[in-house]
Amino acid sequence: MKLSWKVVAFLLFLFHSTNHISLAQQEGNDEADDEAEKQPTIPKGQEHCKGIFIWYNFISRTKEFPRLKNTIAQSWAFKSRVTILNMGTSELQAWKIFIGFQYKEILVSAKGAVLTSGVDFPAPVGNGTYLSGYPQTDLETSIDTANELDKIQVKVELRGTQFGLKPPGNPMPKTIKLANDGYKCPSPTRRKASMYVCCVKDPKFKANKTTKTKFLPRQKGDLLISYDVSQAYKNNYLAQVTIENRHPLGRLDHWNLTWEWMRGEFINSLKGAYVRKVDISGCLNGKVGEYYGDMDFSKVLNCEKKPILFDLPPEKADDAQMGKIPFCCRNGTLLPETMDSTKSKSAFVIEVFKIPPDLNRTTIYPPHKWKIVGDLNPNYRCGAPIRVEPAQSPDPTGVEAVKYAIASWQIVCNISRPTKGNSRCCVTFSAYYNKSAIPCDTCACGCEDTAKCNPNKPAMLLPPEALLVPFENRSVKAKAWAQIQHFKVPKPLPCGDNCGVSINWHVSSDYKQGWAARLTLFNWKSINFENWFTAVQFKKAGSGYERMFSFNATLLKELNNTIFIQGIEGMNYLIGKKNGSDPENDPDVPGKQQSVVTFKKRGKTWPDIAKGDGFPTKVLFNGEECALPSRIPVSTGIRFSVSLSLLFLCKFVSYLLIQRLN
């Protein structure tokens, strides 16, 4: 049977069309599968969350070495994952979460996040920790991105070590929650190996009224660092780093600033500051060396991943190559505004080079893990950089115009109170009504060598003159005083305080209308403290401050009646200790300054000086909170009880004599 050419042509057309339809259907099914894969995976019943969904999943753990029979001491390597998904209608900027770890965890890595505190890995997080996003800091909305999962969701892979819980138990956190302002989180829902929570906007939260911009408003803190990009090119950019002291009692001397480059950047040049190490070894190999193969690295300033920068001395302020930056070159001193507002800011300009894949003038990542320290100053804990509205500055042409930075980030640092044994200054107490002086606590500023002393015994009471000599020369005086006063002598003797600065507060008198004290500063370090200040707070007596004789002092009523004290001109320089010629016969002599302060007794409830109201409850030196002694001088009442007893005895004897004579 022969088919006509028309029939054959029709059959061929039909086959071709059917094949195209099937291919189109297949492609459509493939696209649908791809879209299905892009959908976020969330627990059943949580699809209606209208905020930020956080999901913690415990994945696995394995026993670590050494292998121990003690369950509490055995360590386990664990893996877990945290998913943060924006299911709301508002963009979440600079996301931050809290994970309430509870099994002495040590976090080794967090892919997709950094520790908000800026601490390096491995980090102990057994009491919980905050994580901030990096490199993805913001989570956009599903509406604005057409449900693009990479922009609305982030997954953080956690690896670490935990203790004290053996299988089949799962080492789950106590809680998880969003730490951004303006959100509230209920208690998380718990499963065997997971927990999740939906955090929604708090309708009661009232944000500060600011102009709405694409970025977050600038935050408040004790120390604020701005990272403002002023010029940007394909492979490098210029940024100004500004450090501002905003705490009324905070301070930095000879500051050292460090951070960590996260994407292979390096410092080509600096103005207004310098690096501790001029080191280019990190640029000669690896990706930097490959991309910048023809570059003369001898002119590069620093290629360390964690550079350390410091401020320049004042004589470099007008140097054309190193200075000429406003607020630079102050020798690393940042004073509080309560002391000198013109010296509360520091700044420098940095030229940064980048490497692939960030070769775009708009692709800029600030460094992370910021830390700043001083000689004897508060301990500042710095958070992760937050993208904020661009900084504004006067136009350099001099016309009435404002120039905006290309991009700005802010790092907020806050003062953390020193823990026991980690102070760097301490306080001693003495009083006219007690013969013994109370020294600083044992190991108040830490103890490195305890082989020949006892770090757990309380410090021995001393004769007041013993406070003038180094701790190494006090042992003989302490033992002799203990024998005279019938005190017990511990064996071995207590360790010293090991503090660089000590402050003696001596209550010198107490009378009907007021009372007086003497403040003495001792500098046991070799460095000098220029423009020093100290501050004292009292529970009751502070408001009665009247006068300071040899120092300048101001009563700050808005700061819990804090008395802010600084040296007058010519006495604002606390020199370092002078080395003696013979440690036994001619010991070191500390730098010392002293003044008397008087108080009036005001109000209905007068301070009871004899019961301890005359001693401060908080003392600071150059912003650092000093360790207070764990006891105060006690008034034994001998002045009054003995006098009354003698009076009674005298009268009684007189009465007997009179009776006998009669």
Side-chain angles (χ1 to χ4, degrees):
M1 178 179 176
K2 292 184 179 180
L3 297 175
S4 66
W5 67 270
K6 292 183 179 181
V7 175
V8 173
F10 175 75
L11 291 174
L12 289 172
F13 171 76
L14 186 63
F15 173 77
H16 183 71
S17 300
T18 305
N19 189 43
H20 269 275
I21 292 171
S22 63
L23 287 173
Q25 290 176 340
Q26 182 63 38
E27 291 175 0
N29 292 335
D30 291 343
E31 291 178 1
D33 292 340
D34 291 341
E35 288 299 319
E37 290 179 1
K38 291 181 180 179
Q39 293 298 317
T41 304
I42 56 178
K44 188 176 181 181
Q46 298 299 311
E47 300 87 354
H48 301 293
C49 174
K50 296 180 180 179
I52 308 300
F53 186 77
I54 306 173
W55 191 10
Y56 182 96
N57 284 283
F58 170 74
I59 299 174
S60 65
R61 64 171 168 165
T62 55
K63 187 179 287 189
E64 295 177 338
F65 296 107
R67 304 292 172 84
L68 305 174
K69 293 182 180 180
N70 187 345
T71 303
I72 296 176
Q74 179 61 56
S75 61
W76 300 78
F78 74 91
K79 293 181 181 179
S80 60
R81 179 185 298 116
V82 183
T83 303
I84 304 101
L85 173 64
N86 188 353
M87 301 177 69
T89 57
S90 300
E91 181 181 7
L92 178 63
Q93 296 177 322
W95 67 262
K96 180 170 66 174
I97 62 170
F98 175 79
I99 304 177
F101 291 113
Q102 58 178 329
Y103 294 105
K104 299 180 181 178
E105 288 90 345
I106 299 173
L107 204 56
V108 175
S109 66
K111 186 179 179 181
V114 293
L115 291 167
T116 305
S117 63
V119 176
D120 290 331
F121 294 115
V125 294
N127 293 322
T129 190
Y130 290 89
L131 294 175
S132 296
Y134 183 83
Q136 187 176 349
T137 58
D138 303 334
L139 295 177
E140 300 180 55
T141 67
S142 178
I143 297 171
D144 293 337
T145 62
N147 207 39
E148 190 170 345
L149 199 57
D150 292 341
K151 294 183 178 181
I152 67 173
Q153 175 183 271
V154 65
K155 292 185 178 181
V156 180
E157 305 292 338
L158 301 177
R159 288 179 58 249
T161 295
Q162 57 89 199
F163 294 85
L165 184 68
K166 64 179 181 179
N170 294 323
M172 297 295 294
K174 286 183 180 179
T175 187
I176 53 172
K177 62 181 179 180
L178 187 69
N180 292 67
D181 292 336
Y183 285 85
K184 61 178 182 178
C185 304
S187 297
T189 301
R190 303 172 185 274
R191 297 290 181 261
K192 186 177 181 181
S194 67
M195 60 194 309
Y196 51 84
V197 64
C198 176
C199 301
V200 297
K201 285 201 166 185
D202 185 357
K204 296 181 180 180
F205 178 77
K206 294 182 179 180
N208 295 330
K209 291 183 178 181
T210 55
T211 304
K212 288 188 176 181
T213 63
K214 183 181 178 182
F215 306 107
L216 290 171
R218 292 182 178 264
Q219 311 294 307
K220 294 181 179 180
D222 296 333
L223 189 80
L224 303 179
I225 304 176
S226 298
Y227 193 82
D228 303 313
V229 177
S230 56
Q231 298 179 31
Y233 307 94
K234 178 182 177 181
N235 65 339
N236 67 88
Y237 65 87
L238 286 179
Q240 176 165 305
V241 179
T242 306
I243 310 168
E244 295 181 80
N245 182 10
R246 293 295 182 87
H247 194 283
L249 299 176
R251 176 174 176 149
L252 279 168
D253 293 287
H254 305 108
W255 57 255
N256 282 268
L257 177 67
T258 184
W259 59 63
E260 182 175 336
W261 295 115
M262 308 296 283
R263 304 181 71 84
E265 300 95 334
F266 61 92
I267 301 173
N268 188 57
S269 65
L270 273 168
K271 292 192 72 175
Y274 210 65
V275 290
R276 289 292 177 193
K277 292 183 180 179
V278 180
D279 185 2
I280 62 170
S281 58
C283 289
L284 301 179
N285 301 307
K287 293 183 179 179
V288 175
E290 291 176 7
Y291 181 74
Y292 294 101
D294 298 329
M295 187 173 184
D296 181 8
F297 285 108
S298 65
K299 298 180 181 180
V300 172
L301 202 58
N302 185 277
C303 296
E304 291 181 301
K305 188 174 184 179
K306 298 179 181 180
I308 300 176
L309 289 76
F310 66 97
D311 195 15
L312 295 174
E315 53 265 27
K316 294 292 184 181
D318 294 324
D319 189 288
Q321 291 184 337
M322 302 183 71
K324 296 288 186 181
I325 302 295
F327 307 109
C328 88
C329 312
R330 294 177 172 178
N331 213 22
T333 296
L334 282 171
L335 299 178
E337 292 184 346
T338 50
M339 191 172 183
D340 191 341
S341 59
T342 65
K343 296 180 179 179
S344 63
K345 184 186 293 187
S346 187
F348 60 89
V349 173
I350 183 171
E351 183 185 18
V352 181
F353 272 67
K354 305 181 292 182
I355 61 172
D358 300 333
L359 301 180
N360 187 307
R361 68 175 63 214
T362 60
T363 305
I364 298 172
Y365 294 92
H368 275 248
K369 301 181 181 179
W370 291 68
K371 294 179 183 178
I372 189 165
V373 296
D375 280 338
L376 198 155
N377 301 121
N379 179 30
Y380 289 93
R381 288 190 177 181
C382 301
I386 299 174
R387 185 76 181 268
V388 294
E389 66 266 19
Q392 303 178 30
S393 60
D395 191 88
T397 60
V399 298
E400 292 185 4
V402 176
K403 184 179 180 180
Y404 284 83
I406 296 171
S408 292
W409 286 265
Q410 186 188 49
I411 300 92
V412 178
C413 306
N414 288 309
I415 295 174
S416 62
R417 190 174 185 179
T419 55
K420 186 177 181 180
N422 289 310
S423 299
R424 286 180 286 180
C425 59
C426 63
V427 180
T428 64
F429 286 158
S430 56
Y432 71 93
Y433 52 76
N434 196 305
K435 295 180 180 179
S436 298
I438 296 181
C440 297
D441 279 353
T442 303
C443 301
C445 298
C447 280
E448 294 182 359
D449 185 8
T450 59
K452 297 181 180 180
C453 61
N454 192 331
N456 300 315
K457 287 290 183 180
M460 296 178 64
L461 299 178
L462 300 171
E465 67 271 14
L467 298 176
L468 300 171
V469 298
F471 176 80
E472 296 78 14
N473 300 88
R474 293 180 188 173
S475 298
V476 174
K477 292 180 178 291
K479 288 189 285 188
W481 186 252
Q483 186 176 4
I484 295 172
Q485 300 296 326
H486 305 290
F487 299 148
K488 289 183 179 180
V489 178
K491 294 182 180 180
L493 294 177
C495 298
D497 55 73
N498 299 307
C499 294
V501 170
S502 62
I503 301 173
N504 175 247
W505 184 269
H506 175 77
V507 176
S508 56
S509 64
D510 180 20
Y511 45 94
K512 185 175 181 180
Q513 290 80 20
W515 59 285
R518 184 178 65 242
L519 174 72
T520 309
L521 307 175
F522 297 96
N523 182 6
W524 302 100
K525 296 174 71 71
S526 299
I527 62 173
N528 303 318
F529 292 103
E530 186 179 1
N531 291 322
W532 60 266
F533 78 81
T534 186
V536 292
Q537 290 181 5
F538 296 85
K539 188 175 181 179
K540 296 180 179 179
S543 60
Y545 165 73
E546 181 183 23
R547 183 183 175 190
M548 201 131 199
F549 288 85
S550 302
F551 301 150
N552 284 329
T554 305
L555 179 64
L556 304 176
K557 294 183 178 180
E558 67 278 10
L559 292 177
N560 298 322
N561 288 322
T562 297
I563 304 174
F564 184 83
I565 306 163
Q566 55 185 318
I568 60 177
E569 189 173 353
M571 292 187 64
N572 58 351
Y573 206 80
L574 184 60
I575 62 172
K577 70 175 181 179
K578 293 182 179 180
N579 295 328
S581 59
D582 183 2
E584 293 185 4
N585 301 316
D586 184 20
D588 295 345
V589 178
K592 186 181 74 170
Q593 288 198 19
Q594 187 179 85
S595 179
V596 173
V597 55
T598 58
F599 296 81
K600 285 185 176 180
K601 292 179 179 179
R602 295 170 178 167
K604 296 180 180 179
T605 56
W606 289 0
D608 193 332
I609 305 303
K611 288 187 177 180
D613 289 345
F615 292 99
T617 55
K618 189 175 184 179
V619 178
L620 295 94
F621 178 79
N622 280 0
E624 168 81 355
E625 184 172 347
C626 302
L628 295 175
S630 53
R631 47 190 169 164
I632 61 174
V634 177
S635 175
T636 59
I638 292 175
R639 280 188 305 148
F640 305 101
S641 58
V642 172
S643 299
L644 289 172
S645 300
L646 286 173
L647 180 63
F648 176 78
L649 182 62
C650 291
K651 286 186 175 181
F652 181 71
V653 171
S654 300
Y655 173 78
L656 291 176
L657 289 172
I658 293 171
Q659 291 296 323
R660 179 170 293 185
L661 290 172
N662 292 333

